[in-house]
Amino acid sequence: MDYDIIKQDSFSKKGIFLCLLPIGIIGLLVRMYFEPATALTGDATNYFVYAVDTGLKGKLSDVYFLGNSGWSVLLSAFFSITKYDDPLFLMELQRSLSIFISVVTIIPVYFLCRRFFNQSYSLIGASLFLFQPHIIINSTLGITEPIFLFLGISSLTLFLSNNHKIVYASFAVAGLFTLIRYEGLLFFAMLSIMFFVKYRNEKKYFLRYPLVLAIFVLVLLPVAYSNFETYERDGFVSELVGNSQTSYKHFIEGKPEVGDPIYGDASSANMQNFLTVGITNTIFFFGVAVIPIFIFFVPIGIILVIKNKNNLKIDFKIVTVILISITMLIPAFYAYAKGVDDVRFLFMVFPLLVLISLYGINKLKMKNHHFIMVGITTAIVLTSFLYLDFKNEIDVDYENEVFLITKFIASKTSLINDNSADIDYRTAATIVTSWPNLPTPVRESHVERSLKLISPIGHNSLIEFVDLSKDKGLTHLAVDGRDHQPEFLRDVFYHDEKYPYLKIIYDSSELGMKYHVKIYEIDFVRMYEN
């Protein structure tokens, strides 16, 4: 396939480094600008707890189970070289490492582009990937995608090499890729198929596949063995088999998935609904994924591919990239069919979108390509930054205040009223207030939140709500006076003098916070006296 309109190399290795370095620095600065200065949330806390437990014990955690433990194992190595006295510092370290890995991913992306295009266009390709807004935001969350992308793209790039030893190394990297997310097994399967295709005319390399398989298995073996010894599941094949069995039960046999909002009844638990939801959501999130940069470049590339279809020479390399991308769409489709609403499952398709974009830019046959390279890269950076700045709805000061308030509540009680104040970051608050003791695992990788919520909805008065909730452990109230809460709790916020049995122990306004929350301790003796 004739991708490269400029055959000669334009830069030395030093020149390439000097071009990638400022691109990487700008990518780092953009990520730091949009990095949320708050505690970890969601899945990041599960990886954090596993990493801390592993680092403290010096072995894989035997308390928490993670099917995708590779990221936590890497984190534990970095945690081990620092002190464990400040959980918030370790959380920030987790975020920083995630951001750094996301930035250095431009290296394998650049070399992947070099398999098809010259240096100038490959630098544009690295920029296209690095400044994707979805990847930028994801890199600041402290979760698995940055290292997953780095290893996946690295393995693919190495596999496309003509050096046999480097091809073998790609399977070792594929093993590390699978340690991060067990979907890597699908990646490995397709890579294996393409290995046979690549060496179909070389019998001696065809017979060396057992070596490739052994390299891959040996990377996974220590973690798989530890998981099987502790939990009787390896964390890789067992997860794929488990998901397959669940899918067969609900979508082939038609048995409802109790409590599931999509497949919770017999009329919806079927293959037709599964495929409909999966296709609809995949198309939707694919549309979201291409905004704002790919939505311009990818259509141009596709149009020019169609226009030049008679001149296209489809080779092994581009077929490999396409098939790997299709393979990595399988877990994305499954996630979207299950109702997961996150664009990150499409990230492994981004390298193909980058190559399609570069094909379009390439075929425009622009003169003075070095100047064009700088202009396009600058446009990519500005578009990404402006888009993120426009879409950024996170009030960092507010989020920090919410965390501090939640942390205070978690230090005083294990149960608080819901629907009356923003009480987020409960997992992180649990970790911080209980430190160095780690939360109890409740299911798989998820940990118990020591701070539970109880809803006041359905109660007609404060006395009724408190009286019926005290046996469940309610000892405190948190209110912010906004309209979203029951009227009797709003009344507490504005007229707490009417409730002598409520002792105010926290007023965020007195601490200079903009988010005004009051926290009261309930005096049950005085309440019943009245």
Side-chain angles (χ1 to χ4, degrees):
M1 186 173 185
D2 186 15
Y3 307 99
D4 196 349
I5 61 173
I6 300 173
K7 301 301 181 184
Q8 74 276 10
D9 287 343
S10 305
F11 305 112
S12 64
K13 292 181 179 180
K14 181 179 179 180
I16 291 298
F17 172 78
L18 292 177
C19 289
L20 283 175
L21 182 61
I23 293 173
I25 291 174
I26 296 172
L28 177 63
L29 293 175
V30 170
R31 283 160 171 75
M32 292 174 63
Y33 180 84
F34 290 104
E35 179 185 5
T38 56
L40 296 174
T41 60
D43 289 343
T45 56
N46 301 322
Y47 299 124
F48 176 83
V49 169
Y50 188 101
V52 170
D53 192 54
T54 297
L56 287 172
K57 293 178 179 177
K59 63 176 184 177
L60 295 179
S61 175
D62 55 1
V63 176
Y64 308 94
F65 176 80
L66 272 178
N68 305 314
S69 60
W71 172 230
S72 293
V73 172
L74 177 62
L75 287 173
S76 69
F78 282 85
F79 289 175
S80 297
I81 60 178
T82 185
K83 296 181 179 180
Y84 284 88
D85 56 349
D86 186 354
L88 290 176
F89 171 78
L90 294 177
M91 290 182 184
E92 181 57 31
L93 177 59
Q94 178 172 332
R95 268 207 179 100
S96 298
L97 184 59
S98 176
I99 288 173
F100 175 77
I101 292 171
S102 177
V103 171
V104 299
T105 303
I106 61 171
I107 297 174
V109 171
Y110 169 80
F111 284 106
L112 176 63
C113 294
R114 283 290 290 131
R115 303 293 188 218
F116 306 96
F117 301 97
N118 70 9
Q119 295 167 324
S120 299
Y121 289 95
S122 297
L123 287 171
I124 295 175
S127 301
L128 274 170
F129 186 89
L130 182 64
F131 293 102
Q132 280 300 316
H134 305 291
I135 288 180
I136 291 173
I137 293 301
N138 180 272
S139 71
T140 67
L141 303 179
I143 51 180
T144 58
E145 274 68 33
I147 185 69
F148 185 70
L149 287 168
F150 176 80
L151 293 172
I153 297 171
S154 296
S155 179
L156 176 58
T157 303
L158 293 173
F159 181 77
L160 296 180
S161 172
N162 293 323
N163 186 311
H164 300 130
K165 293 181 180 179
I166 293 178
V167 172
Y168 294 156
S170 73
F171 283 89
V173 178
L176 297 175
F177 179 66
T178 307
L179 286 177
I180 304 300
R181 293 247 292 272
Y182 61 80
E183 296 100 301
L185 289 173
L186 299 176
F187 180 92
F188 167 75
M190 181 52 67
L191 216 61
S192 297
I193 292 172
M194 299 312 295
F195 179 87
F196 289 118
V197 173
K198 186 172 187 175
Y199 297 116
R200 62 190 180 278
N201 296 322
E202 302 180 40
K203 291 185 178 180
K204 66 175 182 178
Y205 287 105
F206 181 85
L207 296 174
R208 289 182 185 180
Y209 180 75
L211 173 61
V212 167
L213 179 62
I215 291 172
F216 178 79
V217 171
L218 285 174
V219 173
L220 301 184
L221 192 59
V223 174
Y225 178 80
S226 177
N227 284 337
F228 197 82
E229 283 284 295
T230 306
Y231 304 101
E232 297 185 347
R233 51 198 289 196
D234 57 48
F236 305 104
V237 176
S238 59
E239 308 311 305
L240 281 180
V241 171
N243 284 332
S244 299
Q245 291 174 339
T246 299
S247 298
Y248 183 84
K249 174 182 176 182
H250 297 306
F251 310 130
I252 302 298
E253 296 182 344
K255 296 180 180 179
E257 190 170 354
V258 178
D260 189 273
I262 302 178
Y263 308 104
D265 58 69
S267 63
S268 62
N270 54 67
M271 181 57 68
Q272 181 180 353
N273 191 39
F274 175 81
L275 293 175
T276 300
V277 173
I279 293 171
T280 302
N281 286 345
T282 300
I283 293 173
F284 173 78
F285 282 102
F286 198 87
V288 173
V290 298
I291 298 173
I293 299 174
F294 283 142
I295 198 170
F296 175 73
F297 289 108
V298 171
I300 293 176
I302 293 175
I303 291 171
L304 291 176
V305 166
I306 295 173
K307 182 179 178 181
N308 295 281
K309 61 181 182 298
N310 294 330
N311 298 322
L312 291 179
K313 297 178 181 179
I314 305 300
D315 63 8
F316 171 81
K317 293 180 181 179
I318 193 61
V319 169
T320 299
V321 174
I322 292 172
L323 291 179
I324 287 292
S325 299
I326 293 173
T327 300
M328 298 314 295
L329 271 177
I330 296 174
F333 179 88
Y334 182 81
Y336 293 138
K338 293 285 289 180
V340 180
D341 56 349
D342 198 321
V343 73
R344 62 192 171 109
F345 295 101
L346 293 171
F347 284 174
M348 272 301 292
V349 183
F350 279 20
L352 177 60
L353 299 184
V354 168
L355 295 178
I356 293 174
S357 300
L358 289 185
Y359 181 83
I361 296 171
N362 185 329
K363 286 300 179 182
L364 292 178
K365 298 184 181 296
M366 295 173 289
K367 297 180 179 180
N368 198 350
H369 65 281
H370 290 319
F371 176 79
I372 295 299
M373 180 197 75
V374 174
I376 293 177
T377 302
T378 302
I380 292 170
V381 174
L382 289 177
T383 300
S384 177
F385 184 88
L386 293 174
Y387 176 83
L388 286 171
D389 195 50
F390 175 76
K391 294 286 290 184
N392 186 21
E393 298 175 354
I394 297 176
D395 185 334
V396 174
D397 291 335
Y398 171 78
E399 295 296 328
N400 279 323
E401 290 175 1
V402 169
F403 172 71
L404 292 174
I405 292 167
T406 305
K407 185 175 73 170
F408 177 84
I409 296 172
S411 69
K412 295 296 182 181
T413 182
S414 60
L415 183 70
I416 196 71
N417 56 292
D418 196 6
N419 304 107
S420 306
D422 291 341
I423 303 172
D424 298 326
Y425 304 98
R426 285 188 292 141
T427 303
T430 294
I431 293 170
V432 173
T433 56
S434 303
W435 193 263
N437 299 316
L438 296 176
T440 304
V442 289
R443 60 183 178 88
E444 303 222 337
S445 62
H446 296 271
V447 296
E448 183 179 28
R449 294 166 171 166
S450 63
L451 180 60
K452 305 292 193 303
L453 301 177
I454 184 169
S455 176
I457 302 299
H459 296 282
N460 298 315
S461 68
L462 180 63
I463 292 290
E464 176 188 315
F465 170 59
V466 171
D467 185 56
L468 293 176
S469 303
K470 65 181 177 63
D471 291 339
K472 298 177 182 178
L474 182 69
T475 58
H476 293 72
L477 295 174
V479 293
D480 64 8
R482 292 185 292 179
D483 293 338
H484 65 279
Q485 60 200 265
E487 183 60 34
F488 61 82
L489 287 174
R490 291 186 72 244
D491 193 57
V492 169
F493 183 86
Y494 292 108
H495 306 288
D496 55 9
E497 71 279 359
K498 294 164 54 177
Y499 306 92
Y501 52 87
L502 297 181
K503 177 185 177 183
I504 188 166
I505 60 172
Y506 187 93
D507 189 329
S508 63
S509 65
E510 295 179 354
L511 300 175
M513 296 185 185
K514 294 180 181 179
Y515 179 39
H516 193 186
V517 174
K518 295 179 182 180
I519 301 170
Y520 299 89
E521 183 177 5
I522 304 170
D523 186 336
F524 289 100
V525 174
R526 295 193 66 180
M527 186 181 80
Y528 289 120
E529 285 178 351
N530 295 332

PDB file of all heavy atoms in Angstrom, residues 101 105 108 146-156 170 173-180 187 348:
ATOM      1  N   ILE A 101       2.721   7.738  31.767  1.00  0.00           N
ATOM      2  CA  ILE A 101       2.630   6.627  30.818  1.00  0.00           C
ATOM      3  C   ILE A 101       1.824   7.035  29.592  1.00  0.00           C
ATOM      4  O   ILE A 101       2.163   6.688  28.457  1.00  0.00           O
ATOM      5  CB  ILE A 101       2.006   5.393  31.503  1.00  0.00           C
ATOM      6  CG1 ILE A 101       2.956   4.845  32.567  1.00  0.00           C
ATOM      7  CG2 ILE A 101       1.689   4.315  30.470  1.00  0.00           C
ATOM      8  CD1 ILE A 101       2.348   3.763  33.433  1.00  0.00           C
ATOM      9  N   THR A 105       3.364   7.209  25.572  1.00  0.00           N
ATOM     10  CA  THR A 105       2.750   6.345  24.554  1.00  0.00           C
ATOM     11  C   THR A 105       2.954   6.912  23.147  1.00  0.00           C
ATOM     12  O   THR A 105       2.806   6.192  22.154  1.00  0.00           O
ATOM     13  CB  THR A 105       1.243   6.145  24.846  1.00  0.00           C
ATOM     14  OG1 THR A 105       1.092   5.610  26.158  1.00  0.00           O
ATOM     15  CG2 THR A 105       0.595   5.183  23.863  1.00  0.00           C
ATOM     16  N   PRO A 108       5.584   4.512  21.043  1.00  0.00           N
ATOM     17  CA  PRO A 108       5.113   3.405  20.193  1.00  0.00           C
ATOM     18  C   PRO A 108       4.142   3.848  19.110  1.00  0.00           C
ATOM     19  O   PRO A 108       4.117   3.254  18.027  1.00  0.00           O
ATOM     20  CB  PRO A 108       4.426   2.452  21.193  1.00  0.00           C
ATOM     21  CG  PRO A 108       4.115   3.280  22.386  1.00  0.00           C
ATOM     22  CD  PRO A 108       5.221   4.286  22.463  1.00  0.00           C
ATOM     23  N   PRO A 146      -4.131   4.035  30.314  1.00  0.00           N
ATOM     24  CA  PRO A 146      -2.821   4.492  29.807  1.00  0.00           C
ATOM     25  C   PRO A 146      -1.797   3.374  29.640  1.00  0.00           C
ATOM     26  O   PRO A 146      -1.165   3.263  28.586  1.00  0.00           O
ATOM     27  CB  PRO A 146      -2.388   5.514  30.863  1.00  0.00           C
ATOM     28  CG  PRO A 146      -3.677   6.062  31.387  1.00  0.00           C
ATOM     29  CD  PRO A 146      -4.592   4.882  31.438  1.00  0.00           C
ATOM     30  N   ILE A 147      -1.640   2.531  30.663  1.00  0.00           N
ATOM     31  CA  ILE A 147      -0.664   1.443  30.554  1.00  0.00           C
ATOM     32  C   ILE A 147      -1.164   0.376  29.587  1.00  0.00           C
ATOM     33  O   ILE A 147      -0.383  -0.250  28.861  1.00  0.00           O
ATOM     34  CB  ILE A 147      -0.378   0.840  31.951  1.00  0.00           C
ATOM     35  CG1 ILE A 147       0.717  -0.217  31.885  1.00  0.00           C
ATOM     36  CG2 ILE A 147      -1.633   0.262  32.567  1.00  0.00           C
ATOM     37  CD1 ILE A 147       2.084   0.333  31.580  1.00  0.00           C
ATOM     38  N   PHE A 148      -2.473   0.178  29.527  1.00  0.00           N
ATOM     39  CA  PHE A 148      -3.079  -0.768  28.582  1.00  0.00           C
ATOM     40  C   PHE A 148      -2.771  -0.353  27.147  1.00  0.00           C
ATOM     41  O   PHE A 148      -2.365  -1.170  26.320  1.00  0.00           O
ATOM     42  CB  PHE A 148      -4.586  -0.806  28.832  1.00  0.00           C
ATOM     43  CG  PHE A 148      -5.343  -1.811  28.019  1.00  0.00           C
ATOM     44  CD1 PHE A 148      -5.213  -3.162  28.255  1.00  0.00           C
ATOM     45  CD2 PHE A 148      -6.226  -1.405  27.027  1.00  0.00           C
ATOM     46  CE1 PHE A 148      -5.941  -4.101  27.523  1.00  0.00           C
ATOM     47  CE2 PHE A 148      -6.958  -2.322  26.283  1.00  0.00           C
ATOM     48  CZ  PHE A 148      -6.807  -3.681  26.542  1.00  0.00           C
ATOM     49  N   LEU A 149      -2.949   0.926  26.843  1.00  0.00           N
ATOM     50  CA  LEU A 149      -2.670   1.443  25.509  1.00  0.00           C
ATOM     51  C   LEU A 149      -1.182   1.386  25.191  1.00  0.00           C
ATOM     52  O   LEU A 149      -0.785   1.015  24.076  1.00  0.00           O
ATOM     53  CB  LEU A 149      -3.180   2.876  25.394  1.00  0.00           C
ATOM     54  CG  LEU A 149      -4.692   3.051  25.302  1.00  0.00           C
ATOM     55  CD1 LEU A 149      -5.068   4.519  25.487  1.00  0.00           C
ATOM     56  CD2 LEU A 149      -5.212   2.543  23.971  1.00  0.00           C
ATOM     57  N   PHE A 150      -0.364   1.769  26.147  1.00  0.00           N
ATOM     58  CA  PHE A 150       1.082   1.768  25.920  1.00  0.00           C
ATOM     59  C   PHE A 150       1.568   0.373  25.540  1.00  0.00           C
ATOM     60  O   PHE A 150       2.307   0.194  24.556  1.00  0.00           O
ATOM     61  CB  PHE A 150       1.814   2.260  27.168  1.00  0.00           C
ATOM     62  CG  PHE A 150       3.311   2.198  27.057  1.00  0.00           C
ATOM     63  CD1 PHE A 150       4.009   3.190  26.383  1.00  0.00           C
ATOM     64  CD2 PHE A 150       4.016   1.143  27.611  1.00  0.00           C
ATOM     65  CE1 PHE A 150       5.397   3.131  26.263  1.00  0.00           C
ATOM     66  CE2 PHE A 150       5.397   1.072  27.500  1.00  0.00           C
ATOM     67  CZ  PHE A 150       6.089   2.067  26.828  1.00  0.00           C
ATOM     68  N   LEU A 151       1.140  -0.633  26.313  1.00  0.00           N
ATOM     69  CA  LEU A 151       1.600  -1.995  26.060  1.00  0.00           C
ATOM     70  C   LEU A 151       0.960  -2.579  24.796  1.00  0.00           C
ATOM     71  O   LEU A 151       1.632  -3.273  24.020  1.00  0.00           O
ATOM     72  CB  LEU A 151       1.286  -2.879  27.270  1.00  0.00           C
ATOM     73  CG  LEU A 151       2.063  -2.550  28.543  1.00  0.00           C
ATOM     74  CD1 LEU A 151       1.543  -3.355  29.713  1.00  0.00           C
ATOM     75  CD2 LEU A 151       3.556  -2.807  28.346  1.00  0.00           C
ATOM     76  N   GLY A 152      -0.328  -2.311  24.581  1.00  0.00           N
ATOM     77  CA  GLY A 152      -1.007  -2.845  23.401  1.00  0.00           C
ATOM     78  C   GLY A 152      -0.422  -2.301  22.113  1.00  0.00           C
ATOM     79  O   GLY A 152      -0.156  -3.060  21.168  1.00  0.00           O
ATOM     80  N   ILE A 153      -0.218  -0.997  22.060  1.00  0.00           N
ATOM     81  CA  ILE A 153       0.339  -0.384  20.846  1.00  0.00           C
ATOM     82  C   ILE A 153       1.799  -0.789  20.671  1.00  0.00           C
ATOM     83  O   ILE A 153       2.265  -1.013  19.548  1.00  0.00           O
ATOM     84  CB  ILE A 153       0.193   1.146  20.910  1.00  0.00           C
ATOM     85  CG1 ILE A 153      -1.294   1.523  20.950  1.00  0.00           C
ATOM     86  CG2 ILE A 153       0.856   1.813  19.704  1.00  0.00           C
ATOM     87  CD1 ILE A 153      -1.555   2.981  21.229  1.00  0.00           C
ATOM     88  N   SER A 154       2.527  -0.909  21.785  1.00  0.00           N
ATOM     89  CA  SER A 154       3.928  -1.360  21.712  1.00  0.00           C
ATOM     90  C   SER A 154       4.010  -2.771  21.144  1.00  0.00           C
ATOM     91  O   SER A 154       4.844  -3.062  20.271  1.00  0.00           O
ATOM     92  CB  SER A 154       4.566  -1.321  23.103  1.00  0.00           C
ATOM     93  OG  SER A 154       4.641  -0.002  23.596  1.00  0.00           O
ATOM     94  N   SER A 155       3.149  -3.662  21.632  1.00  0.00           N
ATOM     95  CA  SER A 155       3.156  -5.045  21.145  1.00  0.00           C
ATOM     96  C   SER A 155       2.832  -5.103  19.656  1.00  0.00           C
ATOM     97  O   SER A 155       3.504  -5.807  18.889  1.00  0.00           O
ATOM     98  CB  SER A 155       2.139  -5.876  21.937  1.00  0.00           C
ATOM     99  OG  SER A 155       2.107  -7.206  21.479  1.00  0.00           O
ATOM    100  N   LEU A 156       1.826  -4.350  19.240  1.00  0.00           N
ATOM    101  CA  LEU A 156       1.444  -4.318  17.822  1.00  0.00           C
ATOM    102  C   LEU A 156       2.584  -3.787  16.963  1.00  0.00           C
ATOM    103  O   LEU A 156       2.887  -4.337  15.896  1.00  0.00           O
ATOM    104  CB  LEU A 156       0.200  -3.458  17.652  1.00  0.00           C
ATOM    105  CG  LEU A 156      -0.299  -3.232  16.215  1.00  0.00           C
ATOM    106  CD1 LEU A 156      -0.610  -4.558  15.533  1.00  0.00           C
ATOM    107  CD2 LEU A 156      -1.518  -2.322  16.214  1.00  0.00           C
ATOM    108  N   SER A 170       7.348  -9.045  21.003  1.00  0.00           N
ATOM    109  CA  SER A 170       5.988  -8.506  20.980  1.00  0.00           C
ATOM    110  C   SER A 170       5.027  -9.387  21.767  1.00  0.00           C
ATOM    111  O   SER A 170       4.053  -8.897  22.344  1.00  0.00           O
ATOM    112  CB  SER A 170       5.508  -8.357  19.531  1.00  0.00           C
ATOM    113  OG  SER A 170       5.225  -9.614  18.949  1.00  0.00           O
ATOM    114  N   VAL A 173       5.405  -8.616  25.456  1.00  0.00           N
ATOM    115  CA  VAL A 173       4.671  -7.389  25.758  1.00  0.00           C
ATOM    116  C   VAL A 173       3.163  -7.664  25.751  1.00  0.00           C
ATOM    117  O   VAL A 173       2.408  -7.114  26.557  1.00  0.00           O
ATOM    118  CB  VAL A 173       5.029  -6.273  24.760  1.00  0.00           C
ATOM    119  CG1 VAL A 173       4.234  -5.009  25.056  1.00  0.00           C
ATOM    120  CG2 VAL A 173       6.523  -5.977  24.809  1.00  0.00           C
ATOM    121  N   ALA A 174       2.719  -8.552  24.854  1.00  0.00           N
ATOM    122  CA  ALA A 174       1.302  -8.936  24.825  1.00  0.00           C
ATOM    123  C   ALA A 174       0.901  -9.603  26.137  1.00  0.00           C
ATOM    124  O   ALA A 174      -0.242  -9.459  26.605  1.00  0.00           O
ATOM    125  CB  ALA A 174       1.019  -9.862  23.651  1.00  0.00           C
ATOM    126  N   GLY A 175       1.833 -10.335  26.744  1.00  0.00           N
ATOM    127  CA  GLY A 175       1.572 -10.929  28.052  1.00  0.00           C
ATOM    128  C   GLY A 175       1.375  -9.866  29.117  1.00  0.00           C
ATOM    129  O   GLY A 175       0.446  -9.940  29.932  1.00  0.00           O
ATOM    130  N   LEU A 176       2.244  -8.856  29.101  1.00  0.00           N
ATOM    131  CA  LEU A 176       2.087  -7.742  30.045  1.00  0.00           C
ATOM    132  C   LEU A 176       0.777  -7.002  29.791  1.00  0.00           C
ATOM    133  O   LEU A 176       0.089  -6.574  30.723  1.00  0.00           O
ATOM    134  CB  LEU A 176       3.272  -6.780  29.897  1.00  0.00           C
ATOM    135  CG  LEU A 176       4.654  -7.343  30.237  1.00  0.00           C
ATOM    136  CD1 LEU A 176       5.730  -6.300  29.919  1.00  0.00           C
ATOM    137  CD2 LEU A 176       4.729  -7.748  31.705  1.00  0.00           C
ATOM    138  N   PHE A 177       0.434  -6.862  28.519  1.00  0.00           N
ATOM    139  CA  PHE A 177      -0.817  -6.241  28.107  1.00  0.00           C
ATOM    140  C   PHE A 177      -2.011  -6.983  28.715  1.00  0.00           C
ATOM    141  O   PHE A 177      -2.970  -6.381  29.214  1.00  0.00           O
ATOM    142  CB  PHE A 177      -0.859  -6.283  26.577  1.00  0.00           C
ATOM    143  CG  PHE A 177      -2.086  -5.710  25.926  1.00  0.00           C
ATOM    144  CD1 PHE A 177      -2.375  -4.366  26.013  1.00  0.00           C
ATOM    145  CD2 PHE A 177      -2.943  -6.516  25.188  1.00  0.00           C
ATOM    146  CE1 PHE A 177      -3.495  -3.826  25.371  1.00  0.00           C
ATOM    147  CE2 PHE A 177      -4.057  -5.991  24.544  1.00  0.00           C
ATOM    148  CZ  PHE A 177      -4.332  -4.638  24.643  1.00  0.00           C
ATOM    149  N   THR A 178      -1.931  -8.320  28.724  1.00  0.00           N
ATOM    150  CA  THR A 178      -3.005  -9.148  29.275  1.00  0.00           C
ATOM    151  C   THR A 178      -3.052  -9.063  30.795  1.00  0.00           C
ATOM    152  O   THR A 178      -4.122  -9.210  31.390  1.00  0.00           O
ATOM    153  CB  THR A 178      -2.823 -10.606  28.820  1.00  0.00           C
ATOM    154  OG1 THR A 178      -2.694 -10.642  27.386  1.00  0.00           O
ATOM    155  CG2 THR A 178      -3.996 -11.471  29.225  1.00  0.00           C
ATOM    156  N   LEU A 179      -1.917  -8.833  31.427  1.00  0.00           N
ATOM    157  CA  LEU A 179      -1.897  -8.642  32.884  1.00  0.00           C
ATOM    158  C   LEU A 179      -2.692  -7.407  33.285  1.00  0.00           C
ATOM    159  O   LEU A 179      -3.278  -7.353  34.370  1.00  0.00           O
ATOM    160  CB  LEU A 179      -0.459  -8.505  33.392  1.00  0.00           C
ATOM    161  CG  LEU A 179       0.393  -9.775  33.456  1.00  0.00           C
ATOM    162  CD1 LEU A 179       1.804  -9.413  33.904  1.00  0.00           C
ATOM    163  CD2 LEU A 179      -0.220 -10.799  34.401  1.00  0.00           C
ATOM    164  N   ILE A 180      -2.701  -6.414  32.408  1.00  0.00           N
ATOM    165  CA  ILE A 180      -3.427  -5.187  32.711  1.00  0.00           C
ATOM    166  C   ILE A 180      -4.924  -5.400  32.552  1.00  0.00           C
ATOM    167  O   ILE A 180      -5.718  -5.003  33.409  1.00  0.00           O
ATOM    168  CB  ILE A 180      -2.958  -4.040  31.788  1.00  0.00           C
ATOM    169  CG1 ILE A 180      -1.439  -3.832  31.902  1.00  0.00           C
ATOM    170  CG2 ILE A 180      -3.703  -2.748  32.128  1.00  0.00           C
ATOM    171  CD1 ILE A 180      -0.964  -3.487  33.299  1.00  0.00           C
ATOM    172  N   PHE A 187      -6.479 -10.239  22.070  1.00  0.00           N
ATOM    173  CA  PHE A 187      -5.377  -9.607  21.332  1.00  0.00           C
ATOM    174  C   PHE A 187      -4.324 -10.656  20.984  1.00  0.00           C
ATOM    175  O   PHE A 187      -3.859 -10.738  19.844  1.00  0.00           O
ATOM    176  CB  PHE A 187      -4.790  -8.498  22.207  1.00  0.00           C
ATOM    177  CG  PHE A 187      -3.645  -7.756  21.591  1.00  0.00           C
ATOM    178  CD1 PHE A 187      -3.863  -6.597  20.852  1.00  0.00           C
ATOM    179  CD2 PHE A 187      -2.333  -8.187  21.765  1.00  0.00           C
ATOM    180  CE1 PHE A 187      -2.800  -5.890  20.299  1.00  0.00           C
ATOM    181  CE2 PHE A 187      -1.274  -7.492  21.210  1.00  0.00           C
ATOM    182  CZ  PHE A 187      -1.511  -6.336  20.478  1.00  0.00           C
ATOM    183  N   MET A 348      -8.434   1.302  21.939  1.00  0.00           N
ATOM    184  CA  MET A 348      -7.508   0.485  21.149  1.00  0.00           C
ATOM    185  C   MET A 348      -7.808   0.539  19.656  1.00  0.00           C
ATOM    186  O   MET A 348      -7.055  -0.006  18.850  1.00  0.00           O
ATOM    187  CB  MET A 348      -7.517  -0.963  21.646  1.00  0.00           C
ATOM    188  CG  MET A 348      -6.533  -1.233  22.782  1.00  0.00           C
ATOM    189  SD  MET A 348      -4.807  -0.865  22.353  1.00  0.00           S
ATOM    190  CE  MET A 348      -4.471  -2.134  21.131  1.00  0.00           C
TER     191      MET A 348
END
